[in-house]
């Protein structure tokens, strides 16, 4: 019985790892269409996320940007040695709301609400990798009030606190073989709601000329602390144990630097470089309130990773503006740590979109993202029974989006 309980601990350890391995880069319709660049771009209230220092350079006194996306993800798994095949198709709905208000010529306030982490993975119940994960559903919302201070004509600084709140629901089988008296596989569901944490963002923007901007933005590490989460055993062979758990999950710090150049009154290009400090995610320690259950240490050993982004914008006329972009995103997951709750590898994102300007105050924004992950043949080598689980993963994501921009 003690062995069975020990094997369940990795289920809890693997649950919130999904947040660390899956960053949802969809924080604005205009900037997503431009390859998710934006640290040196000022064209809407979306700058409140990408670089709050840029809020000081918005033309209008009040600016509002609201948008949402459908995120359609598909991952296929295959192990030709054992003739295993599995597939997961999932839908997410990231959203964002940004608002800024210029109080005077040098001082602007803003508010950003967005979803930088959150999605779901749902494999078939009792599939070959069910001892690692059956399904997981993660949601995280960030609320960020910001201030932007303009220092002269060419330089500004900005930043503010970030309040994060989230929840997680996760299910996996306790091991490869344990069943109840009816022959049903024993599984475990864990759930934690109302997880909260604090961080901050800070940046600057420098405009040497009317056409050239340089930007930098830093987003701090945030520690999500799950306390007294619920654990429920299903189809247990004897009386199911009762316990709650505590765990800490670091969301990594990010540093983004970039530039934009306006070649003509109609054509703008931007480049961003982002460095995410995933190296803080070495393992996940899970502490149980039931003293009969040993605590767990589950290795992840992530590495810092970079993203390279390029975007462009073309103002065709007073009604239509077109955008396109591309980015390359490195995976933080190292060989031997590839788990099916984070089925991702290095990826390339192809983006595009447009704005239809209804009138001088209101515009409608459209965007799309096609994200193609490199095919990867890898494994997770730290299964509790000493074995490993692996195969070939193929993943793609498609995400259309729509939003509105309003200002006066």
């Amino acid at each position: 019985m003690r062995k069975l309980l020990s094997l369940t601990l990795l289920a809890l350890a693997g649950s919130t790892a999904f947040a660390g391995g899956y960053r949802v880069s969809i924080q604005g319709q205009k900037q997503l269409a431009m390859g998710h660049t934006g640290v040196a771009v000022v064209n809407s209230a979306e700058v409140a996320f990408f670089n709050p220092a840029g809020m000081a350079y918005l033309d209008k006194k009040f600016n509002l940007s609201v948008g949402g996306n459908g995120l359609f993800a598909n991952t296929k798994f295959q192990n030709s040695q054992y003739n295993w095949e599995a597939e997961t198709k999932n839908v997410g709905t990231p959203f964002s709301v940004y608002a800024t208000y210029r109080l005077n010529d040098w001082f602007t306030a803003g508010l950003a609400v967005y979803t930088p982490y959150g999605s779901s993975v749902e494999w078939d119940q009792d599939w070959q990798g069910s001892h690692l994960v059956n399904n997981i559903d993660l949601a995280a919302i960030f609320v960020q009030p910001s201030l932007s201070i303009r220092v002269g004509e060419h330089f500004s600084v900005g930043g503010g606190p970030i309040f994060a709140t989230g929840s997680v629901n996760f299910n996996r089988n306790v091991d490869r073989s344990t069943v109840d008296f009816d022959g049903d596989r024993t599984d475990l569901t864990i759930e934690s709601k109302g997880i909260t944490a604090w961080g901050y963002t800070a940046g600057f923007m420098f405009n040497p000329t009317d056409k050239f901007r340089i930007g930098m933005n830093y987003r701090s590490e945030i520690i999500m602390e799950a306390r007294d989460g619920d654990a429920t055993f299903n189809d247990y062979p004897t009386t199911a144990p009762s316990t709650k758990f505590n765990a800490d999950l670091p969301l990594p710090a990010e540093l983004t630097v970039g530039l934009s150049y306006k070649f003509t009154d109609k054509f703008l290009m931007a480049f961003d470089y982002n460095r995410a400090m995933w190296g803080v995610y070495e393992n996940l320690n899970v502490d149980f309130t039931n003293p009969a259950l040993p605590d767990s240490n589950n290795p992840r050993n992530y590495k810092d990773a970079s993203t390279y982004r390029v975007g462009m914008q073309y103002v065709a006329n007073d009604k239509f503006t077109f955008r396109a972009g591309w980015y390359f995103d490195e995976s933080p997951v190292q060989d031997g740590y590839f788990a099916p709750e984070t089925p991702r590898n290095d990826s390339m994102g192809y983006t595009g979109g447009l704005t239809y300007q209804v009138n001088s105050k209101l515009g409608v924004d459209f965007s799309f993202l096609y994200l193609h992950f490199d095919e990867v043949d890898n494994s997770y080598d730290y299964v509790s029974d000493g074995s490993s689980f692996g195969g070939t993963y193929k993943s793609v994501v498609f995400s259309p989006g729509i939003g509105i921009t309003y200002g006066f």
Side-chain angles (χ1 to χ4, degrees):
M1 180 62 67
R2 182 176 177 83
K3 179 181 179 181
L4 175 60
L5 294 178
S6 297
L7 292 175
T8 67
L9 302 188
L10 284 179
L12 297 171
S15 65
T16 52
F18 186 75
Y22 200 87
R23 170 73 160 86
V24 183
S25 294
I26 301 178
Q27 271 74 63
Q29 303 307 310
K30 289 184 177 181
Q31 303 316 135
L32 174 62
M34 293 179 61
H36 212 249
T37 59
V39 74
V41 177
V42 178
N43 62 10
S44 73
E46 293 174 9
V47 74
F49 167 80
F50 290 90
N51 187 357
M55 297 188 302
Y57 296 107
L58 289 166
D59 293 334
K60 296 178 180 178
K61 189 178 185 70
F62 174 77
N63 298 272
L64 175 69
S65 294
V66 180
N69 287 69
L71 193 151
F72 304 93
N74 177 259
T75 298
K76 294 182 179 180
F77 167 82
Q78 183 179 26
N79 184 308
S80 56
Q81 179 180 359
Y82 299 106
N83 198 28
W84 293 342
E85 291 186 357
E87 184 176 12
T88 173
K89 296 181 178 180
N90 308 105
V91 178
T93 54
F95 68 89
S96 60
V97 179
Y98 308 108
T100 71
Y101 185 77
R102 188 172 67 244
L103 300 173
N104 54 46
D105 290 341
W106 57 273
F107 190 58
T108 301
L111 179 67
V113 182
Y114 50 93
T115 52
Y117 295 87
S119 190
S120 62
V121 171
E122 186 171 357
W123 299 95
D124 290 337
Q125 191 75 17
D126 300 336
W127 72 296
Q128 290 85 358
S130 61
H131 57 292
L132 295 175
V133 60
N134 280 312
N135 58 74
I136 183 168
D137 188 6
L138 173 78
I141 299 174
F142 283 20
V143 180
Q144 173 197 314
S146 302
L147 298 176
S148 179
I149 301 173
R150 187 167 177 168
V151 184
E153 293 296 321
H154 305 288
F155 186 77
S156 66
V157 295
I162 298 173
F163 173 72
T165 180
S167 63
V168 63
N169 183 285
F170 173 79
N171 176 271
R172 58 153 279 185
N173 290 354
V174 297
D175 59 19
R176 299 175 186 265
S177 58
T178 301
V179 297
D180 66 4
F181 294 111
D182 297 323
D184 297 322
R185 297 277 301 279
T186 303
D187 66 271
L188 170 68
T189 299
I190 70 165
E191 185 174 25
S192 183
K193 297 180 179 179
I195 306 170
T196 61
W198 287 90
Y200 68 90
T201 181
F204 73 82
M205 188 171 287
F206 176 51
N207 309 307
T209 72
D210 293 339
K211 296 182 177 181
F212 184 41
R213 297 186 192 271
I214 299 171
M216 186 279 290
N217 181 243
Y218 177 79
R219 305 177 67 81
S220 73
E221 177 183 337
I222 295 177
I223 306 296
M224 301 295 287
E225 299 179 348
R227 296 293 180 264
D228 292 326
D230 295 320
T232 305
F233 292 89
N234 306 295
D235 301 319
Y236 207 74
T238 60
T239 301
S242 174
T243 187
K244 290 182 178 293
F245 73 94
N246 301 317
D248 294 345
L249 174 72
L251 304 182
E254 295 183 46
L255 176 66
T256 306
V257 295
L259 56 88
S260 68
Y261 189 80
K262 197 172 184 179
F263 290 88
T264 70
D265 290 341
K266 293 180 176 292
F267 184 64
L268 171 77
M269 287 197 69
F271 170 78
D272 282 8
Y273 169 77
N274 172 272
R275 185 69 171 175
M277 288 62 169
W278 289 111
V280 299
Y281 193 25
E282 297 178 353
N283 54 63
L284 183 65
N285 296 321
V286 181
D287 301 325
F288 294 89
T289 58
N290 186 337
L293 299 177
D295 296 331
S296 173
N297 181 19
N298 190 47
R300 288 300 171 193
N301 198 28
Y302 276 24
K303 62 180 180 179
D304 294 350
S306 298
T307 305
Y308 307 85
R309 301 167 177 151
V310 178
M312 61 188 69
Q313 174 179 276
Y314 179 72
V315 182
N317 51 48
D318 61 355
K319 287 294 184 183
F320 287 97
T321 299
F322 298 94
R323 301 179 182 89
W326 169 91
Y327 66 81
F328 173 72
D329 188 8
E330 294 178 346
S331 171
V333 182
Q334 300 199 70
D335 289 344
Y337 295 88
F338 200 95
E341 81 269 6
T342 53
R344 58 161 294 175
N345 194 25
D346 292 348
S347 62
M348 289 190 183
Y350 304 88
T351 71
L354 62 89
T355 292
Y356 175 71
Q357 199 67 35
V358 179
N359 53 47
S360 61
K361 295 182 178 180
L362 178 65
V364 182
D365 305 315
F366 301 92
S367 72
F368 74 85
L369 163 67
Y370 175 73
L371 188 59
H372 182 269
F373 293 87
D374 290 349
E375 179 179 317
V376 58
D377 190 353
N378 216 318
S379 62
Y380 185 74
D381 300 335
Y382 297 90
V383 182
S384 56
D385 60 6
S387 65
S388 65
F389 176 83
T392 301
Y393 294 86
K394 300 178 182 179
S395 300
V396 296
V397 172
F398 177 69
S399 180
I402 186 172
I404 62 168
T405 302
Y406 180 78
F408 59 83

